[in-house]
Amino acid sequence: MSRYERPVSPTEWLYLAAERTMPPFAVQLVVEGEGRLDPAALTRAVRVASAACPGARLTRQGRVWVDTGQAPPVTVADGTSRWTDHASAPLERTCEVVAAEGGVLFRVSHTVMDGRGALTWIADVFRALRGEPPLGAPAALTDYELVERLGTPGRRPRASAGWRSPVEPAAARHWARRTIDGNHPGLVAKLAAAVAAFTGAGRSRFMVPVDLRRHDTAMRSTANLSLPVFLAAGPDETWETLHKQILRALVERREVTGGALERAAYRLPLGLLSRLLTVAGDRHLCSAILSHLGRVDPADFSTGGFQASTVFALPTHAPTAPLSIVATALPGHTELTVAHHGRPESAEALLDAAEAALSPHRPRKISRA
């Protein structure tokens, strides 16, 4: 069997520059629950799952990702540390696993995987822990190869900097988390309306990643297969109007139109590209990134000695956006997590506004990352 490899796509080239600018540029997912994951068993399971999902074992050679054949390392965290302590550390490999009492953190460089890709690999880790065969993810297709196959005429909206941050700016980067009762139809549109109203005067622009796997449901891949659609919203915009924007974009397959920004970035050396991202400073390409990882069943992330109760993200800090919100829907509750370049109290106020929009008659339920 030949060694797994795939080209670095234009999107991933831009992510490599972002990683230099604002490390760790990572997709980080926490599985929390009751019980304990044996480190030795977890290490074996990571090895088995990563052999079936070779996108977890990549290194870059020029403009090609190649399989090293080496499973991601598993470390055991100090019992007094928090997930955010580990999530802030540099990535030594493209994928890493941190185990702790009551849960496990999966750290994945966004240069090699998107959120759904990471969940694909993580689910196989837990299959291996349960003694089940992994489903695997052998596909080596890139997002732009899919765009070539599926692309529609036209272009995305013109990229423009200068969008206002919804939260009061600060030099440090932070995460915030909120657990909200129930599941919420039209969640991304409701979040967009809440953030636009919180931002106030003027219009907001939201980047919404769309999973390209919806166009080929038989394909199993861990790669970056998400491209955006964009929403424009005023402070008085209703969520119903924004939801129609999203549905129209999906029907018109706008996520597979050509991305001029990524194609232009692909022609630049990484050093120059990273400097351009640094120069952008507070001039953002959007007001916020709004991601929905979809429905997650804790049973898929459980094993004999460990019963998962929730799964949540510690979103990527991006140099081109001041704020990123990731939602995960679980039975009976929804996790909202925020990565932001702002004042912590401002981000908490934003989450208050989002929760009020989603559950206006329920008491506030706070979770800490």
Side-chain angles (χ1 to χ4, degrees):
M1 188 174 179
S2 61
R3 181 174 65 169
Y4 176 96
E5 62 178 47
R6 69 168 192 264
V8 176
S9 78
T11 302
E12 292 170 340
W13 193 253
L14 185 62
Y15 289 174
L16 283 163
E19 185 176 59
R20 292 185 177 196
T21 304
M22 196 168 284
F25 192 73
V27 175
Q28 308 195 69
L29 295 168
V30 178
V31 181
E32 283 187 339
E34 298 295 326
R36 179 178 178 272
L37 288 166
D38 175 66
L42 180 59
T43 299
R44 289 192 296 272
V46 167
R47 187 186 311 122
V48 170
S50 301
C53 301
R57 307 188 304 190
L58 298 182
T59 191
R60 185 170 65 89
Q61 295 180 2
R63 297 201 180 215
V64 179
W65 293 114
V66 297
D67 179 8
T68 65
Q70 298 178 345
V74 177
T75 59
V76 179
D78 185 311
T80 62
S81 59
R82 300 187 306 167
W83 297 124
T84 50
D85 297 333
H86 303 285
S88 302
L91 277 166
E92 301 299 327
R93 302 266 288 279
T94 53
C95 295
E96 300 174 359
V97 181
V98 181
E101 187 68 30
V104 58
L105 168 65
F106 293 88
R107 310 187 66 213
V108 176
S109 172
H110 203 351
T111 64
V112 295
M113 289 189 195
D114 58 11
R116 292 307 307 181
L119 283 172
T120 297
W121 170 56
I122 295 167
D124 264 359
V125 171
F126 279 93
R127 286 188 184 94
L129 279 167
R130 293 192 297 268
E132 302 169 7
L135 297 183
L141 199 66
T142 70
D143 54 350
Y144 271 70
E145 287 172 320
L146 269 176
V147 165
E148 291 296 325
R149 181 193 300 175
L150 302 167
T152 55
R155 290 176 172 268
R156 296 185 202 153
R158 182 174 176 270
S160 60
W163 292 92
R164 179 184 172 191
S165 174
V167 297
E168 296 177 43
R173 292 177 278 159
H174 303 279
W175 285 284
R177 176 185 167 208
R178 188 67 56 84
T179 305
I180 299 173
D181 289 336
N183 298 136
H184 305 272
L187 177 61
V188 171
K190 290 174 181 175
L191 287 175
V195 175
F198 183 85
T199 304
R203 293 183 70 75
S204 298
R205 187 183 198 228
F206 301 105
M207 179 187 292
V208 180
V210 177
D211 185 2
L212 301 182
R213 295 169 183 82
R214 76 188 187 100
H215 299 289
D216 186 352
T217 56
M219 178 183 60
R220 290 187 58 81
S221 170
T222 57
N224 278 297
L225 296 181
S226 297
L227 291 173
V229 298
F230 293 90
L231 302 181
D236 299 320
E237 204 90 43
T238 66
W239 77 265
E240 291 90 349
T241 301
L242 291 171
H243 193 55
K244 288 178 182 177
Q245 275 195 54
I246 295 172
L247 294 178
R248 189 179 306 116
L250 294 177
V251 168
E252 295 175 359
R253 302 195 305 176
R254 291 184 198 164
E255 75 276 16
V256 292
T257 57
L261 176 64
E262 292 91 339
R263 291 182 186 276
Y266 198 58
R267 294 193 289 268
L268 299 177
L270 283 178
L272 175 58
L273 186 54
S274 62
R275 287 196 294 275
L276 290 174
L277 292 177
T278 303
V279 168
D282 290 332
R283 293 174 294 172
H284 306 295
L285 293 178
C286 61
S287 308
I289 301 170
L290 305 178
S291 303
H292 196 336
L293 290 179
R295 295 186 177 275
V296 174
D297 186 350
D300 293 335
F301 303 90
S302 300
T303 185
F306 177 80
Q307 298 302 310
S309 58
T310 196
V311 178
F312 62 89
L314 294 172
T316 305
H317 290 284
T320 54
L323 184 83
S324 181
I325 302 178
V326 176
T328 310
L330 297 111
H333 74 276
T334 299
E335 296 280 9
L336 294 182
T337 43
V338 180
H340 62 95
H341 316 160
R343 296 171 62 85
E345 58 269 28
S346 183
E348 290 292 341
L350 174 63
L351 281 172
D352 288 345
E355 183 168 5
L358 294 174
S359 306
H361 305 300
R362 291 174 181 159
R364 190 156 61 97
K365 179 181 177 183
I366 298 176
S367 297
R368 301 295 182 194

